[in-house]
Amino acid sequence: MRGGEVVGRRLAAAVLLGLIVGIAGIGTALAAEPATISLGTDGWTSLPDGWSDFVGWDPSTHTGWLNQDLYARIMIVSNDVTLDGNGFTLAGDNTGDGVTLWLKSGVVVKNLKIREFTRGIYLVNSHCNSISGNTVAKNVNGIWLQGSSNNTITGNILQGNTDKGIHLMGSAGNTISSNTATDGSYGIWLQGSPNNTVTGNTASGNTLRGIQLANCTGNTVSGNTASNNACGIWLQGCQKNNIAENNLRGNSVAGIHFMGCSENTFSGNLISGGGKGIHGQGSGSNTLNRNSVSGCDCGLSLLASSGHDIYNNTITGNCCGLSLWNSSNNRVYNNNFIGNSVQALVGLGTGNVFNLDRPAGGNYWSNWTGPDTNGDGFVDSPYVFERRNRLYYGQDNLPWTRENGWLDAYTFEGFLPPLDSDGATFRLGRSIPVKFRLRDANGDYVADAGAALFLVRVVNGIPGEEIDAVSASKSVHDNFFRYSPGDNLYIFNLDTKDLSVGTWRLRTALDDGTSHHVTIVLE
């Protein structure tokens, strides 16, 4: 009676789920466990009686395929064969593995629906295989690689697998691309797996993490979308990974979280909504640059972390823009902090800096943009962070007056002789060559900048009305510098014959919005 009840239940489940097609197929599938069948270069083997029509085989291409849904497990027993699911379903009893590759290479598994196994597709010590276009749903784990390298896992749908959608353990050099991993605990998990590429995947609606790396080195995680997970991308105990250009939305704990990590790069990620944007804990010497974080509880956050370089990020409309707590020797410069309820909170750390020397300067703070009386692009006074109590402290000594000012600004190398930073004394009426060079952010000479020269008479330390400079060259009828490509110089020959004896301040105005001053004396 008990055996009959089991058979009856399996029959009812098969009919309700539509997993078994055809009367003969149903009859065979009612065994207590799924059948185990094999595919190799000799075709299908170990087929139960009556199953020969359920599968197909082309010996010329070494391709085997399904002709209907099967209640079975498939072992790949040869290299260089193709398993084409043909859109049909391989179903199990929530134990074992759906498709297994053990010590195999050159195998293709495609177009197969797999459900209700411990692992839908399992690769062990298998290399250079392709797993593509499969739907792996309602298993414990979807696709699992162990000790397997240089495989391509692409275009698969991993849905509702209770633990992990894709799991790599001790596996190197694999490409994980264009997969969708949703509604599990973890979308994609790499553990002790170096030098893999994870790109263009979607990991959404997972109760824990969209993408997780644990004890991994040298991986590239780029161009992925991770939304509405607890955490979008999580790293633990990782070094020298590149996390770039990912779109992370509405992850309740953090867009990116890293713990015990060093020498990783987080760049160009777009993070919006949810908990913390980027949060580091117990980590050192990571780089955060070109990220955009908006609408989060905290944009950038470090806890007990040191030695980070944080630059060229845009942090907009968060409850807190920047939080450093018990974190030391971090460099935070050339970032935009725009419209955050609290721009920065820094406490219980030492050696943190929030600006470099000129010309790089500090950050842009949307609530601290002036005055800039000398026109050098920096606010005249430091930006002092909110001090809620004596434990909080920090300031930016060279706050920029405009967003991304450091990207637009030229490096001005100073006035050249006969002028110098302290000015010089000249005889009234002579022509004075005003010369300088400019470099861009890459250190290359700038040849196409707009630069104009203005003068103001200074009497008893009080400047008068500013006037346009006049060139000594008869062919020049404005106050703009000309560029000499042979020596990379901007040159203006200042005519002084219509000026007066005394102190004059020269202002060179550049088209990046900055001005540079030098004082001369005419006698």
Side-chain angles (χ1 to χ4, degrees), residues 104-176:
K104 297 297 175 287
S105 63
V107 173
V108 175
V109 180
K110 63 181 182 178
N111 303 329
L112 183 61
K113 297 178 181 178
I114 305 173
R115 58 188 299 157
E116 297 173 1
F117 293 96
T118 301
R119 289 171 291 221
I121 301 175
Y122 186 33
L123 279 65
V124 186
N125 298 327
S126 294
H127 315 291
C128 302
N129 302 286
S130 173
I131 311 298
S132 66
N134 302 285
T135 298
V136 189
K138 298 187 181 302
N139 304 279
V140 178
N141 298 282
I143 299 173
W144 185 301
L145 277 63
Q146 186 164 335
S148 298
S149 62
N150 300 315
N151 300 284
T152 299
I153 313 298
T154 186
N156 301 282
I157 297 174
L158 298 307
Q159 185 175 24
N161 300 289
T162 56
D163 193 6
K164 306 172 186 72
I166 298 175
H167 185 200
L168 274 61
M169 178 180 291
S171 297
N174 299 283
T175 298
I176 313 298

Side-chain angles (χ1 to χ4, degrees), residues 332-351:
V332 183
Y333 63 95
N334 291 175
N335 302 283
N336 298 303
F337 293 94
I338 303 171
N340 303 287
S341 299
V342 175
Q343 297 279 46
L345 286 174
V346 178
L348 286 186
T350 61

Side-chain angles (χ1 to χ4, degrees), residues 451-475:
L453 185 62
F454 301 88
L455 305 174
V456 62
R457 175 81 184 276
V458 181
V459 178
N460 297 323
I462 301 174
E465 182 179 356
E466 189 174 71
I467 61 174
D468 291 354
V470 176
S471 173
S473 172
K474 294 182 179 180
S475 63

Side-chain angles (χ1 to χ4, degrees), residues 52-89:
S52 58
D53 292 335
F54 299 171
V55 295
W57 171 249
D58 182 353
S60 65
T61 61
H62 288 176
T63 298
W65 62 85
L66 304 189
N67 289 323
Q68 67 172 64
D69 300 335
L70 296 180
Y71 181 65
R73 300 170 182 151
I74 298 176
M75 294 286 298
I76 305 297
V77 295
S78 299
N79 298 327
D80 303 312
V81 299
T82 296
L83 169 60
D84 187 344
N86 204 22
F88 291 107
T89 297

Side-chain angles (χ1 to χ4, degrees), residues 141-411:
N141 298 282
I143 299 173
W144 185 301
L145 277 63
Q146 186 164 335
S148 298
S149 62
N150 300 315
N151 300 284
T152 299
I153 313 298
T154 186
N156 301 282
I157 297 174
L158 298 307
Q159 185 175 24
N161 300 289
T162 56
D163 193 6
K164 306 172 186 72
I166 298 175
H167 185 200
L168 274 61
M169 178 180 291
S171 297
N174 299 283
T175 298
I176 313 298
S177 66
S178 303
N179 303 282
T180 299
T182 61
D183 303 322
S185 296
Y186 303 86
I188 300 171
W189 185 342
L190 278 62
Q191 183 173 351
S193 296
N195 304 322
N196 298 283
T197 298
V198 181
T199 183
N201 303 282
T202 297
S204 300
N206 298 286
T207 57
L208 294 176
R209 286 120 202 197
I211 299 172
Q212 172 159 327
L213 278 65
N215 302 313
C216 290
T217 303
N219 295 284
T220 295
V221 179
S222 65
N224 303 283
T225 296
S227 60
N228 301 314
N229 309 281
C231 184
I233 299 176
W234 176 291
L235 282 75
Q236 187 165 352
C238 293
Q239 295 80 38
K240 298 181 179 179
N241 300 281
N242 183 26
I243 314 300
E245 311 294 339
N246 299 285
N247 191 340
L248 312 171
R249 304 188 305 270
N251 298 287
S252 60
V253 174
I256 296 174
H257 179 106
F258 56 93
M259 178 184 296
C261 295
S262 62
E263 299 181 74
N264 300 283
T265 298
F266 303 90
S267 65
N269 298 286
L270 179 62
I271 304 171
S272 61
K276 295 179 173 66
I278 302 177
H279 176 66
Q281 183 174 347
S283 297
S285 302
N286 298 288
T287 298
L288 285 65
N289 73 309
R290 297 189 303 104
N291 301 287
S292 176
V293 185
S294 63
C296 296
D297 293 340
C298 186
L300 300 177
S301 172
L302 294 180
L303 173 62
S305 297
S306 63
H308 292 78
D309 277 321
I310 301 174
Y311 61 94
N312 279 347
N313 302 283
T314 297
I315 314 301
T316 307
N318 304 280
C319 294
C320 179
L322 172 70
S323 174
L324 303 184
W325 183 253
N326 195 26
S327 296
S328 300
N329 302 317
N330 300 286
R331 302 199 310 169
V332 183
Y333 63 95
N334 291 175
N335 302 283
N336 298 303
F337 293 94
I338 303 171
N340 303 287
S341 299
V342 175
Q343 297 279 46
L345 286 174
V346 178
L348 286 186
T350 61
N352 296 299
V353 297
F354 302 96
N355 61 272
L356 303 184
D357 293 336
R358 300 169 186 263
N363 305 275
Y364 170 74
W365 309 90
S366 63
N367 58 330
W368 197 260
T369 60
D372 177 15
T373 55
N374 62 1
D376 63 356
F378 299 107
V379 182
D380 292 341
S381 56
Y383 179 65
V384 179
F385 304 155
E386 180 169 321
R387 298 174 182 264
R388 293 187 171 179
N389 55 48
R390 63 185 179 85
L391 299 178
Y392 288 89
Y393 46 85
Q395 66 184 45
D396 179 347
N397 295 310
L398 288 171
W400 284 88
T401 60
R402 64 194 183 283
E403 186 176 345
N404 289 320
W406 50 91
L407 296 181
D408 301 329
Y410 308 121
T411 298

